[in-house]
Amino acid sequence: MSTERTLVLVKPDGVQRGLIGQVLSRLERRGLKLIGLKLMQMDEALANQHYAEHVEKPFFPGLRDFITSGPLVAAAFEGANAVQLVRNTMGATNPLDATPGSIRADFGVDLGRNVIHGSDSPESGERELALFFESSELVSWDRDVEGWIYE
């Protein structure tokens, strides 16, 4: 089994709405292992790094203002196919297009307030994790139920 690591952010709207526990719980119930967690305030410099591919786009100032508007939760998850599992559990970026039962379909109604971010590839996962966590903040641990999750 090849494991991946991925970043998940419960965005400021999810924090303000009291959805942190529900979002993280859904990912854990999928079989993903939580290996890092922090409540933090993103500053503009980190927003510019995290969303570097969007800095020149017309919507970026609004995105930066939103993501720095309040506390967020940064979480690191690990597991086989972790990136795809998170993305499937999140649902489409636009909550109106998200599959029923996904986080965004259940909790989001607006493209700009969609509760959660997840890395879009294993490479992005590693890059994004390095922006939010020191390596010493990611805890590798053995979970007794692995045999019940993976064949």
Side-chain angles (χ1 to χ4, degrees):
M1 172 182 68
S2 171
T3 61
E4 295 174 350
R5 290 181 167 185
T6 189
L7 176 74
V8 170
L9 300 177
V10 180
K11 296 177 182 180
D13 58 326
V15 172
Q16 291 289 335
R17 294 175 56 199
L19 298 174
I20 299 166
Q22 290 185 64
V23 168
L24 298 179
S25 176
R26 286 184 181 208
L27 296 170
E28 285 187 300
R29 286 184 295 164
R30 269 316 287 270
L32 294 164
K33 182 168 52 173
L34 184 65
I35 60 168
L37 184 67
K38 63 171 75 171
L39 178 69
M40 62 182 288
Q41 179 83 35
M42 188 185 293
D43 60 23
E44 285 192 16
L46 181 54
N48 290 342
Q49 287 181 288
H50 179 65
Y51 291 113
E53 69 275 13
H54 299 307
V55 170
E56 299 301 322
K57 295 181 180 167
F59 64 82
F60 180 71
L63 173 60
R64 184 183 56 225
D65 290 348
F66 165 64
I67 203 68
T68 61
S69 67
L72 58 80
V73 169
F77 280 95
E78 182 178 83
N81 304 304
V83 171
Q84 192 61 50
L85 280 172
V86 168
R87 295 197 64 78
N88 290 350
T89 306
M90 287 188 324
T93 303
N94 186 339
L96 298 177
D97 299 328
T99 303
S102 67
I103 291 168
R104 288 176 173 155
D106 288 352
F107 301 126
V109 293
D110 185 86
L111 177 63
R113 302 289 183 268
N114 63 13
V115 179
I116 186 171
H117 164 84
S119 304
D120 64 7
S121 69
E123 297 76 25
S124 291
E126 293 298 329
R127 181 186 67 79
E128 292 177 354
L129 284 171
L131 292 173
F132 288 85
F133 292 94
E134 299 292 327
S135 60
S136 63
E137 295 176 305
L138 299 178
V139 179
S140 291
W141 56 286
D142 293 324
R143 186 170 51 180
D144 291 338
V145 299
E146 292 295 317
W148 298 106
I149 296 171
Y150 301 109
E151 189 173 355

